[in-house]
């Protein structure tokens, strides 16, 4: 038993070391240019595919790496510390893959998971619409059974990988009269084609490089075998199951951004001098560095706790919500404080701090707003501690 555990530890450490080398060699030298020009990193994406990142949590029998959520979270932290946008490229894809792996039929798993794992077919999750985001039960995209197929009509917004993705797990209404509303929702795997296409790339404050797009469905015909699980009405439950993983991912991104901001502040504070000594020797700077370091480590521990609960198949919506809430707020606080440590240089594009400052706010919105996380946490506290 001990030998098997040691082999697992060594295997995970080897993967993390490989990721670290990849980031130093193939990503760090190019981030500033790619981010500044908002260029989709095609060559880097190809190398991520070679590393198996698009199959990170897909079971080995389907060609994936079969990693634990904890190891996956550590990968996301490392990637986000270097360039947060890259983590979004494979995370959205893996939430789609996870929906098939957890809820799909045997035939769906056999057809899609090997293609997802290899990166041959990449995509993401299509939930948000122009008139709804957090309230997913208010979506208007519909799928109507017409003959042997379903016909989908509607629009999705802010979809990660929307331009370069090949297919998406699309949440639709199959029964607009269902009570409660979530019982009328279903999840389909939909491939791009003439009746389903990206209509425009959406410009953003930060999170550059990864494409966020509007998707348009006009009489898009989808075969019934693409209905995940094969039964209508389970889409909302399937999406919520995937969002636990997504929130752990976003929390891990928050840790990565916070760590990057801390590292930049510590380095700069030893280089910059005022009043005849490095600014790291001034108490005001020391207080900020101490807060940033403590906040980052606390966020990391919350992420690991949520990931371990996920791996143990425990209910972890509260744990994922707590990690997401704390870690993403840590990213915002650390990026601002790191900018203040840098002074005027932190506000320039010469240093990476301004990118961290622009990237961090997205994390408090994506995969459910932080306000929603507080509601989830409070409700779970009451449910788990009845009197």
């Amino acid at each position: 038993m001990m030998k098997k555990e040691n082999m697992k530890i060594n295997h995970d450490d080897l993967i993390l070391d490989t990721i670290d080398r990849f980031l130093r060699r193939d990503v760090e030298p190019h981030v500033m240019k790619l981010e500044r020009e908002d260029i989709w990193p095609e060559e880097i994406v190809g190398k991520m595919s070679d590393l198996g990142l698009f199959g990170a949590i897909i079971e080995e029998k389907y060609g994936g790496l079969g990693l634990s959520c904890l190891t996956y979270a550590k990968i996301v932290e490392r990637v986000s510390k270097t360039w947060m946008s890259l983590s979004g490229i494979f995370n959205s894809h893996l939430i789609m893959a996870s929906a098939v792996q957890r809820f799909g039929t045997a035939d769906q798993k056999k057809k899609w998971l090997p293609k997802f794992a290899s990166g041959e077919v990449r995509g993401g999750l299509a939930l948000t619409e122009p008139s709804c985001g957090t309230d997913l039960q208010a979506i208007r995209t519909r799928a109507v059974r017409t003959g042997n197929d379903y016909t989908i009509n509607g629009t999705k917004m802010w979809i990660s990988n929307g331009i370069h993705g090949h297919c998406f797990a699309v949440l639709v209404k199959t029964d607009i009269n269902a009570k409660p509303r979530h019982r009328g929702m279903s999840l389909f795997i939909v491939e791009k084609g003439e009746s389903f296409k990206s209509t425009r790339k959406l410009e953003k404050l930060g999170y550059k490089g990864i494409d966020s797009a509007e998707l348009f469905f006009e009489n898009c015909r989808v075969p019934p075998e693409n209905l995940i699980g094969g039964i209508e009405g389970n889409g909302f439950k399937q999406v919520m199951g995937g969002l636990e993983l997504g929130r752990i991912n976003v929390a891990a991104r928050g840790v990565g951004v916070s760590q990057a901001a801390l590292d930049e502040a510590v380095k700069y504070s030893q280089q910059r001098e005022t009043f005849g000594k490095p600014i790291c020797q001034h108490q005001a700077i020391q207080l900020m560095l101490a807060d940033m370091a403590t906040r980052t480590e606390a966020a990391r521990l919350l992420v690991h706790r949520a990931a371990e609960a996920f791996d143990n198949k425990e209910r972890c919506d509260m744990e994922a919500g707590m990690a997401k809430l704390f870690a993403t707020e840590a990213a915002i606080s650390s990026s601002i404080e790191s900018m203040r440590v840098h002074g005027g240089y932190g506000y320039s594009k010469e240093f990476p701090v301004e990118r961290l400052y622009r990237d961090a706010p997205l994390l408090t919105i994506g995969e459910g707003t932080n306000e929603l996380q507080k509601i989830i946490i409070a409700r779970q506290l009451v449910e788990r501690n009845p009197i």
Side-chain angles (χ1 to χ4, degrees), residues 273-321:
E273 292 188 1
T274 62
F275 305 106
K277 59 183 178 182
I279 62 173
C280 64
Q281 295 181 21
H282 294 301
Q283 189 176 62
I285 300 298
Q286 292 172 344
L287 295 178
M288 283 195 284
L289 294 178
D291 282 344
M292 293 166 67
T294 304
R295 188 186 302 125
T296 302
E297 186 61 20
R300 181 177 291 113
L301 293 172
L302 280 170
V303 171
H304 290 183
R305 169 69 186 95
E308 288 169 350
F310 186 93
D311 286 332
N312 292 331
K313 295 182 170 51
E314 300 171 7
R315 180 169 184 173
C316 61
D317 48 351
M318 184 173 80
E319 289 75 12

Side-chain angles (χ1 to χ4, degrees), residues 142-199:
R142 292 193 61 190
V144 178
R145 190 67 184 258
T146 51
N148 294 326
D149 295 327
Y150 287 87
T151 300
I152 297 178
N153 285 281
T155 303
K156 297 290 183 178
M157 290 286 286
W158 300 110
I159 306 306
S160 298
N161 296 328
I163 303 293
H164 292 90
H166 308 115
C167 72
F168 294 82
V170 182
L171 187 65
V172 300
K173 285 282 183 71
T174 43
D175 182 358
I176 60 173
N177 299 313
K179 300 293 181 183
R181 292 179 297 169
H182 66 80
R183 291 183 178 171
M185 305 171 75
S186 302
L187 195 63
F188 285 85
I189 292 291
V190 187
E191 296 181 88
K192 278 187 177 175
E194 284 299 314
S195 58
F196 162 35
K197 55 190 176 183
S198 308
T199 51

Side-chain angles (χ1 to χ4, degrees), residues 66-135:
L67 300 180
S68 67
C69 184
L70 179 58
T71 301
Y72 175 58
K74 292 177 180 179
I75 290 173
V76 171
E77 178 189 333
R78 283 165 161 78
V79 171
S80 299
K81 179 183 167 187
T82 302
W83 188 18
M84 191 185 82
S85 296
L86 293 183
S87 63
I89 292 175
F90 59 83
N91 176 62
S92 186
H93 168 86
L94 284 170
I95 295 178
M96 171 182 68
S98 179
V100 174
Q101 182 164 271
R102 296 176 72 182
F103 303 108
T105 65
D107 287 343
Q108 288 169 346
K109 294 177 183 180
K110 183 178 179 181
K111 176 181 178 179
W112 293 107
L113 291 179
K115 296 177 182 179
F116 292 162
S118 69
E120 173 191 347
V121 175
R122 299 188 306 272
L125 197 63
L127 307 179
T128 303
E129 298 187 1
S131 59
C132 77
T134 299
D135 181 15

